[in-house]
Amino acid sequence: MTPVQIEAIYMKNLSIITKIPAILIILLLAACNSTELDIFKDKDQNDISAIQKPDKLAIVGIEEIKNGSYEKASAAFNKALKMSPSSSGLHFLNALAYHLMGVRGDESKLNLAKEGYALAINFDQSNWLARYYSGLLSIEKKAFIEAQKQFSEAILFEGSDPDLLYYAAYASYYSYDLQTAQAILGQLR
């Protein structure tokens, strides 16, 4: 699979990323009132130097991911992490930005992505998105047993997501665990 094809798969999975505003943004913005969300009205919304709240930086970073500006997204998430270092959501989003940079060709970022996903899981064991994307990263590295483990743990929290089930079956198949692959595929029907 080429890097362009892999990135296309991730961008197809933007349905999961667009769940982020529904899941994480609500959590990140819990203390933020709607009048403070004027950051996108500024002409230069990409200038993160003036933003001093992790929730606002997270919004900017998510928008940068959607725009394909992964380096800018990571810069926003890294700044937010300096203010909120134990945020599972921010570690996940930063790992995702690194992961997408790696998919685009900077393979040195893939190790940072792996560590970021692990930190996200460490700070919130129920962060199934971190497990899901960690599993995708393991598939890219052809570490199918590790991918199967990550997907299996994610299924415990979000067992009805069809993409998660598909990739869990895929990883199980390539781990030569045909019984598990068959059982997971049965859930997709």
Side-chain angles (χ1 to χ4, degrees), residues 28-180:
L28 290 169
L29 299 178
C32 183
N33 67 42
S34 61
T35 61
E36 295 179 14
L37 296 179
D38 295 338
I39 59 173
F40 294 115
K41 293 181 181 175
D42 296 337
K43 287 182 182 178
D44 190 12
Q45 76 182 47
N46 295 332
D47 181 18
I48 63 166
S49 62
I51 302 172
Q52 296 301 318
K53 294 190 176 187
D55 51 358
K56 290 183 180 183
L57 289 162
I59 292 170
V60 170
I62 290 169
E63 287 301 315
E64 294 296 355
I65 284 177
K66 288 180 180 179
N67 294 332
S69 301
Y70 308 132
E71 292 82 5
K72 290 179 182 178
S74 181
F77 299 137
N78 277 316
K79 184 175 179 184
L81 281 166
K82 288 179 183 175
M83 295 175 227
S84 185
S86 62
S87 170
S88 175
L90 288 173
H91 280 290
F92 163 70
L93 291 168
N94 199 31
L96 179 61
Y98 283 131
H99 192 165
L100 291 167
M101 283 186 250
V103 166
R104 276 212 179 141
D106 187 353
E107 292 186 17
S108 68
K109 303 294 187 202
L110 294 176
N111 286 333
L112 292 171
K114 183 178 180 177
E115 292 204 22
Y117 293 136
L119 284 168
I121 293 165
N122 184 48
F123 286 117
D124 180 2
Q125 293 292 312
S126 67
N127 188 336
W128 73 273
L129 286 171
R131 294 179 190 283
Y132 174 78
Y133 277 92
S134 180
L136 291 176
L137 179 59
S138 294
I139 283 178
E140 287 173 45
K141 294 182 174 188
K142 300 197 183 317
F144 297 112
I145 293 172
E146 176 61 26
Q148 181 188 30
K149 176 184 174 231
Q150 290 297 332
F151 292 133
S152 296
E153 291 177 5
I155 286 171
L156 296 174
F157 298 101
E158 188 61 41
S160 62
D161 186 89
D163 289 330
L164 174 57
L165 293 170
Y166 170 80
Y167 286 111
Y170 180 92
S172 296
Y173 177 82
Y174 283 101
S175 298
Y176 302 104
D177 185 352
L178 302 180
Q179 188 175 12
T180 301

Side-chain angles (χ1 to χ4, degrees), residues 10-21 133 161 163:
Y10 290 142
M11 297 318 280
K12 175 198 163 270
N13 284 335
L14 267 176
S15 63
I16 290 177
I17 295 172
T18 56
K19 292 177 190 175
I20 292 169
Y133 277 92
D161 186 89
D163 289 330

